[in-house]
Amino acid sequence: MLRRARNAVAAVAGGVGRGLRAPGPERDDLLLGAKSVGAATLAWMLARHLLPAAVTTFAPFTVLAVLQATVYRSVRECARYLMAMAAGAVLAAGLAALAGIHWWAFASLVLLGLAVGRFRPFGSQGAQVAVVGLFAFTTGQGHIDYVGHLIASVAIGTACAIGAHLLLAPARHTRRHQEAVALVCHEISAGTRSLADASATGDGDGDEVGRLRAGWRRLAWECDRLHGEVDTETENSRLNPRRTVDPRHEAMPRAREALTIAQRSLDHLQSITRTLEYALADGHIHALPPSFRTDYEAFLNGVADVLEEIGQAGRTDPRRLEQQFAHVGDQVHHLQRPQAVPAAPTIRGTLLTDAGRLVADIRSHLHVIAVT
């Protein structure tokens, strides 16, 4: 237990140190924490001087509920919180006026608050319907003046939270994510070239091909992680007053599409790798004609060129990309030409099927890359 506590403290200290030294997720977290502390403190001070003590807590509480990692998310949560607060206050005032302050009225308020809070428009702030309603019912006795002060306290918290975000908006990381996507696509391209070499010679090391399979799994996990980061950065661009280094608003959608192509390509490359690994291990690779293996090597190298072009951080040249992909398509048609007596039909058929699916998946997303 003590060791785990020390490790947790060391991890937190390490994150703080990295955040202080260089920009990145750790610094973003530090900045968000600093803004939360500053905005909550300012909201509490303003509410304390302007409003009754019974409602001052709602100002800093609103800051903590509203202030999120991105400006867009903060505005969205702010709208949800205001709706939840209004619904809870209306329920409390209505029940107090109609039924008075009784235990069964309190129970009815809790039940209604929980039920109303489940409505989808409230999102993650649905629980606040019941919370605000309970405060308005128990502390304010449902009186309209308390509800008015509560609304004012929430408004102070909202203004402080959104103001903190606009004055010190979250950093933009467009270029960093573009470079991360480019690096992953480069690694996939390099692995594809290694796979091409193994398919051409027929004398490749089965262990080396097995290591490629492990590399594909790692890259698939990396693509999943980057997908989440790119989605967050796409959200971060909405309503963010900071200008990005790359002014093109298509940068993150293009990076996301490149990741999608990379992930789908990995699925087929893993299948090709499994087939070649078994064929190398059993010696069946030699049953394939040398001309087929050479053509398949050219196809995989062509795919590697396309993936590297798709994943680059800078803008893709549409003409060059279309030419490269057209060449890959021609290679697939060449591989699929009929043979009088097909050799190793099972292995050949599996490799051709994966090649066709790989090209089809790339083609289905290529138009997005080509126009941005």
Side-chain angles (χ1 to χ4, degrees):
M1 181 70 71
L2 184 60
R3 183 178 181 181
R4 278 185 289 183
R6 283 200 302 267
N7 290 339
V9 172
V12 172
V16 171
R18 289 189 296 272
L20 294 174
R21 286 192 301 269
E26 291 85 0
R27 178 170 292 183
D28 294 342
D29 290 340
L30 287 179
L31 183 60
L32 180 60
K35 286 190 291 186
S36 299
V37 172
T41 302
L42 178 61
W44 177 77
M45 292 172 62
L46 291 174
R48 183 168 176 263
H49 287 287
L50 298 175
L51 300 171
V55 297
T56 55
T57 305
F58 277 94
F61 181 78
T62 300
V63 170
L64 299 180
V66 166
L67 203 56
Q68 303 291 322
T70 66
V71 177
Y72 172 78
R73 195 180 305 175
S74 296
V75 172
R76 183 190 64 193
E77 293 305 308
C78 175
R80 289 174 171 176
Y81 184 78
L82 290 175
M83 289 191 299
M85 182 272 299
V90 168
L91 286 176
L95 277 173
L98 293 175
I101 307 299
H102 302 289
W103 69 265
W104 55 267
F106 179 88
S108 300
L109 174 63
V110 174
L111 180 61
L112 288 172
L114 293 176
V116 172
R118 295 176 66 88
F119 290 174
R120 180 171 294 180
F122 294 118
S124 59
Q125 301 293 341
Q128 302 306 323
V129 176
V131 172
V132 173
L134 294 180
F135 271 95
F137 189 85
T138 57
T139 305
Q141 303 291 298
H143 295 164
I144 194 65
D145 56 342
Y146 178 87
V147 173
H149 290 145
L150 188 152
I151 293 174
S153 182
V154 169
I156 290 173
T158 298
C160 290
I162 301 301
H165 249 337
L166 294 179
L167 289 174
L168 193 58
R172 304 290 301 277
H173 302 295
T174 302
R175 177 59 61 181
R176 179 165 65 84
H177 288 107
Q178 286 178 304
E179 291 173 352
V181 172
L183 179 60
V184 166
C185 288
H186 176 74
E187 289 189 52
I188 296 174
S189 177
T192 304
R193 296 187 196 282
S194 298
L195 192 63
D197 293 340
S199 68
T201 62
D203 298 321
D205 185 0
D207 292 337
E208 179 63 28
V209 177
R211 282 190 287 273
L212 268 178
R213 287 183 60 189
W216 296 145
R217 289 193 293 268
R218 178 185 61 81
L219 288 170
W221 177 87
E222 185 70 10
C223 285
D224 287 336
R225 184 186 66 81
L226 284 176
H227 254 303
E229 292 187 0
V230 168
D231 288 344
T232 300
E233 183 58 32
T234 302
E235 181 186 274
N236 190 32
S237 66
R238 302 175 184 172
L239 307 180
N240 194 321
R242 289 198 185 191
R243 299 183 65 84
T244 179
V245 175
D246 184 354
R248 294 179 58 79
H249 66 278
E250 303 95 342
M252 285 299 96
R254 182 188 178 282
R256 194 181 196 288
E257 206 66 22
L259 278 175
T260 299
I261 293 176
Q263 283 183 304
R264 297 197 173 191
S265 299
L266 278 171
D267 290 339
H268 303 301
L269 288 171
Q270 288 184 77
S271 180
I272 293 172
T273 305
R274 282 194 299 270
T275 302
L276 289 176
E277 184 180 15
Y278 297 147
L280 285 168
D282 296 338
H284 294 160
I285 189 72
H286 298 291
L288 292 170
S291 60
F292 178 85
R293 300 202 302 268
T294 301
D295 291 342
Y296 209 81
E297 176 195 23
F299 160 72
L300 289 175
N301 281 324
V303 170
D305 292 337
V306 170
L307 291 176
E308 194 147 11
E309 182 71 23
I310 286 172
Q312 64 179 343
R315 186 180 181 185
T316 298
D317 183 346
R319 182 175 298 178
R320 182 170 64 246
L321 179 59
E322 289 173 2
Q323 289 175 347
Q324 289 177 339
F325 185 74
H327 181 59
V328 171
D330 292 341
Q331 289 171 326
V332 171
H333 289 308
H334 184 65
L335 283 168
Q336 291 174 338
R337 67 189 186 279
Q339 294 182 349
V341 182
T346 302
I347 297 175
R348 180 177 181 275
T350 302
L351 292 175
L352 287 178
T353 298
D354 286 326
R357 289 173 177 173
L358 175 57
V359 170
D361 264 345
I362 295 177
R363 181 186 293 114
S364 64
H365 294 269
L366 201 65
H367 67 283
V368 178
I369 302 295
V371 299
T372 55

